Amino acid sequence: GKSLAAVSVNELYLLQMGKKLSVKNIASGKGRLSDLAWQEDGSALAFCTKGDENKIFHYSMASGKLSSAGAGLYGPLHVSRDGRHVYFGRQKPASRAVLEPAPAEVWNTQDAHIFPEREQLGDPALNPDIAAWNVATGRIAEISDVGASYLFSPAGLLFTGFTGIGSQGAMSQQRDFYTADPDSGERIPWLRSHGASLDMIAIDPSGRYAAYEKGGEVFAYGFARKKHVRIGGGSLLEWNRDGTRLQFAQGADIWEASPEGGKAVRVASAAQNNVTLRPYSGKILEASSGDGSLAGYYGRDAKGGARTLAFGEFHASQLLQADSSGAYAYVRQRFDSPPEIMR
């Protein structure tokens, strides 16, 4: 980018870099400033003041207009991709009762492995809402009041809520997934009672689809058509850059398919080594032989193929990749010797 925002206690400076550097004070005397957030393309900036009077601000780079709204703020800000909305956490007023020193828990003692049936982390009434401010109209819409987990993606705001409390840790396993209308605050469910967290959902770069795993199979959901499509059995890997193809691992093979369905195409295979491939991190795959005697890592090249990084009769873990080269380091432990650090 060509612009840089810098805060000095209660002043916000905008530094624009060109043939010569220009400095502009766009907020002064507003109070203690915090939580700067740029729009994705750098065309707008949001920030807030915290103190006696909490306010949220939006600055347009094109018009130089500074808009503001009063809001009870909590957590970081996020400017929507189109720049029309600013998302933020909104703290609800709540009385703070004295907590019991020994809260009750319910346990099922008939289970082979004992788990608490319910775990409550603090008072849910103190969790912040998720809210959206429409910069043009000034309206603030509350979207979620359940202290949900949420993230901002190319598809907009995504958030989850627990479907209920059950035995064997069901509260941490089953969730409903939503998008939201930032103007009305309407919650729009798109995946019900699913055992995943938000970081296990892959949104394509264009924001049109979400991919997820369920029951050992990969599915894609189209936000426009509101339709779930089975892609194939296996483990989800990644989207291509324009969101038209989705890759997944199945046994020793890597497959690619359209999120609209149709026939999947095998793009790479490690079948010659009789291994099973699973996602590890980015373009790195974990690999293991069918009998568990061989293990290691495979890397994916620019064409989606798989190549051996480290594989043999040992246990491999904690793989790290150098930032500026193709070098890797990992911990290797043979079954009759102490761990070694390899590179």
Side-chain angles (χ1 to χ4, degrees), residues 104-304:
E105 293 181 348
V106 179
W107 300 75
N108 185 349
T109 57
Q110 302 303 313
D111 290 341
H113 300 284
I114 301 176
F115 296 92
E117 290 194 353
R118 175 171 181 167
E119 180 181 7
Q120 181 172 316
L121 302 177
D123 185 353
L126 300 178
N127 291 333
D129 301 338
I130 305 169
W133 170 39
N134 186 314
V135 178
T137 66
R139 185 175 186 272
I140 294 177
E142 291 188 2
I143 294 172
S144 171
D145 59 0
V146 294
S149 298
Y150 62 94
L151 61 79
F152 301 101
S153 73
L157 171 69
L158 300 180
F159 64 99
T160 65
F162 294 121
T163 60
I165 300 170
S167 63
Q168 300 292 359
M171 182 178 178
S172 62
Q173 297 173 7
Q174 298 299 313
R175 296 174 172 87
D176 292 336
F177 289 76
Y178 304 86
T179 57
D181 183 328
D183 291 315
S184 67
E186 178 187 3
R187 308 173 197 179
I188 306 167
W190 62 273
L191 184 59
R192 293 285 197 182
S193 300
H194 184 54
S197 56
L198 278 174
D199 58 1
M200 299 168 65
I201 304 295
I203 307 299
D204 88 276
S206 69
R208 294 174 296 172
Y209 302 97
Y212 60 95
E213 297 178 23
K214 186 174 184 179
E217 297 185 317
V218 177
F219 293 83
Y221 176 80
F223 289 104
R225 297 176 59 188
K226 297 179 172 57
K227 182 179 179 182
H228 297 265
V229 175
R230 180 187 178 275
I231 303 301
S235 302
L236 176 64
L237 292 179
E238 66 178 3
W239 292 94
N240 65 352
R241 290 186 176 182
D242 59 7
T244 58
R245 307 290 290 178
L246 177 66
Q247 289 192 349
F248 60 98
Q250 184 182 80
D253 302 322
I254 298 176
W255 296 79
E256 188 176 84
S258 165
E260 294 292 337
K263 186 177 181 180
V265 177
R266 183 166 56 192
V267 295
S269 177
Q272 67 274 14
N273 290 337
N274 189 29
V275 302
T276 297
L277 300 176
R278 296 178 300 278
Y280 177 71
S281 175
K283 295 188 178 297
I284 308 300
L285 303 169
E286 284 185 323
S288 62
S289 61
D291 61 4
S293 62
L294 303 174
Y297 296 99
Y298 275 64
R300 301 168 60 213
D301 57 31
K303 296 182 179 180

